[in-house]
Amino acid sequence: MTANDADIGPDLTPDNMLCFAIYSANHAFSRVYKPLLKDLGLTFPQFLVMAALWVEDGQNVGAIGEKLCLESSTLTPLLKRLEALGYVTRNRDPDDERQVRVNLTVDAKKLRKKSLAIPGCLLAASGMTGKDYMALQRNVARLRDALLESAANPP
Amino acid sequence: MTANDADIGPDLTPDNMLCFAIYSANHAFSRVYKPLLKDLGLTFPQFLVMAALWVEDGQNVGAIGEKLCLESSTLTPLLKRLEALGYVTRNRDPDDERQVRVNLTVDAKKLRKKSLAIPGCLLAASGMTGKDYMALQRNVARLRDALLESAANPP
DNA sequence: CGATATTATATCGTACACGATATTATCGCG
DNA sequence: CGCGATAATATCGTGTACGATATAATATCG
């Protein structure tokens, strides 16, 4: 390992690895979210599921999983917890009994109003301008899509 | 919700949230890593611990946790698995019996050589140039540090 | 129309990940 | 020296996460 090896590409030092930056930023987001979600009684993944349902109510488990990149083995227990909290209902679709429709409750709609302040808190915690924040969002989303594409079609 | 609400700042749509981009990119990295680590018998977090030890052997649990932002409740079982795999040894420091020194085995050093190709695979999977890749790494690391700072000193 | 394939969820086993707490070792101060 | 405070690791309970598999409903094709 010579002094300028770091210049020629990624190495095995966590601090130089993009995957570690993403991994640790994910944990850091969870940590910032924790007190904000405490009042709502939600975890961060539960909040993401609620956010997906606020965009479109009445999705089935598969649609939510597709949007959030999660499997039914993760979502089924999580949705049962949201149901126990009184934020969603889970019902088999009468037209196709294989599917489970997830619907928001009245409480969930109240929750949405309380959550509207959260994105601003996150932006503030990032110390970034809105412009840089959204640009980074797009770059990371593009990276994610390229990685998923590569994982699905291994070289 | 009007058509240009997206222009005035972050909202509650997962696809517009930086936290979701990071969250899903983290999962995507795991997915790309899985086949690469399969041969080595490691999970992604285990690989990160190995990488931290390749930078500096003989660290104690706390030092590893500080570098990777992980608690002893996560690391202790993980390190026991790495020990069972024959990649590390765990020994109480004779000078301070509270600390557990984690040392690499001979196998771990062979593993390092086999791992040197991995960062290049990740870069290729990202579809990015090395320059952009490293720039994104720095931006995400900066974001993480700002979030951790904010979590530690809430506004 | 009925056997087979496919699809949608659910369940199970393993592995993170954290907060709260327990345990043991060291330190500091009288 | 001894005793309370502090520090390092481990343990426990809860909640993700995934791959493999199970189960049940629908679709397909002869």
Side-chain angles (χ1 to χ4, degrees):
Chain A
M1 173 73 79
T2 60
N4 59 356
D5 272 2
D7 300 339
I8 57 175
D11 66 352
L12 286 174
T13 303
D15 275 343
N16 294 334
M17 292 161 72
L18 177 54
C19 59
F20 172 63
I22 295 280
Y23 169 87
S24 52
N26 184 45
H27 291 175
F29 261 120
S30 291
R31 223 164 284 188
V32 174
Y33 260 104
K34 192 149 300 187
L36 299 173
L37 296 178
K38 187 87 171 180
D39 296 335
L40 315 179
L42 295 178
T43 65
F44 176 57
Q46 288 167 4
F47 176 72
L48 283 179
V49 170
M50 296 303 295
L53 290 167
W54 286 326
V55 172
E56 184 187 345
D57 196 359
Q59 297 182 67
N60 62 21
V61 176
I64 297 170
E66 181 129 2
K67 266 150 203 159
L68 301 183
C69 308
L70 294 175
E71 309 295 319
S72 75
S73 44
T74 301
L75 282 174
T76 296
L78 190 157
L79 289 167
K80 285 183 178 176
R81 285 180 206 111
L82 288 179
E83 188 178 34
L85 287 168
Y87 290 138
V88 304
T89 58
R90 297 162 61 248
N91 296 105
R92 293 275 167 188
D93 185 336
D95 293 344
D96 184 344
E97 293 270 344
R98 291 173 302 181
Q99 299 184 40
V100 169
R101 296 267 156 219
V102 182
N103 286 96
L104 296 170
T105 62
V106 177
D107 277 359
K109 286 156 193 169
K110 291 182 200 157
L111 201 63
R112 183 177 184 283
K113 290 206 203 317
K114 288 211 270 180
S115 301
L116 287 172
I118 289 182
C121 297
L122 270 290
L123 174 58
S126 76
M128 299 171 71
T129 67
K131 191 158 167 286
D132 288 349
Y133 195 82
M134 287 187 279
L136 186 55
Q137 188 276 327
R138 284 189 295 271
N139 283 332
V140 174
R142 221 185 336 261
L143 167 67
R144 172 201 59 209
D145 293 340
L147 292 174
L148 290 177
E149 165 66 20
S150 167
N153 304 74
Chain B
M1 174 73 82
T2 62
N4 58 356
D5 272 2
D7 299 338
I8 58 175
D11 66 352
L12 286 173
T13 304
D15 276 343
N16 294 334
M17 292 161 72
L18 177 54
C19 58
F20 172 63
I22 295 280
Y23 169 88
S24 53
N26 185 45
H27 291 174
F29 261 120
S30 290
R31 221 165 284 187
V32 174
Y33 260 105
K34 192 150 299 185
L36 300 173
L37 296 178
K38 188 87 172 179
D39 296 335
L40 315 180
L42 295 179
T43 65
F44 176 58
Q46 288 167 4
F47 176 73
L48 283 179
V49 170
M50 296 302 295
L53 289 168
W54 285 327
V55 173
E56 184 187 344
D57 195 359
Q59 297 182 67
N60 62 21
V61 176
I64 298 170
E66 181 130 2
K67 265 151 203 157
L68 300 183
C69 307
L70 294 174
E71 309 295 318
S72 75
S73 45
T74 301
L75 282 173
T76 296
L78 191 157
L79 289 167
K80 285 182 179 176
R81 284 177 207 112
L82 288 179
E83 187 178 34
L85 287 168
Y87 289 138
V88 304
T89 57
R90 296 162 62 247
N91 296 104
R92 292 277 166 184
D93 185 335
D95 292 345
D96 184 344
E97 293 269 345
R98 290 173 303 180
Q99 299 184 41
V100 170
R101 296 266 156 218
V102 183
N103 287 97
L104 296 169
T105 63
V106 177
D107 277 359
K109 285 156 194 170
K110 291 182 199 156
L111 201 65
R112 184 176 184 281
K113 291 208 201 315
K114 288 211 270 179
S115 301
L116 287 172
I118 290 182
C121 297
L122 270 290
L123 174 59
S126 76
M128 299 172 70
T129 65
K131 191 160 166 286
D132 287 349
Y133 195 81
M134 287 188 278
L136 186 55
Q137 188 275 327
R138 283 188 296 270
N139 283 332
V140 175
R142 217 181 345 254
L143 167 67
R144 173 201 59 210
D145 293 339
L147 292 174
L148 289 177
E149 165 66 19
S150 166
N153 304 74

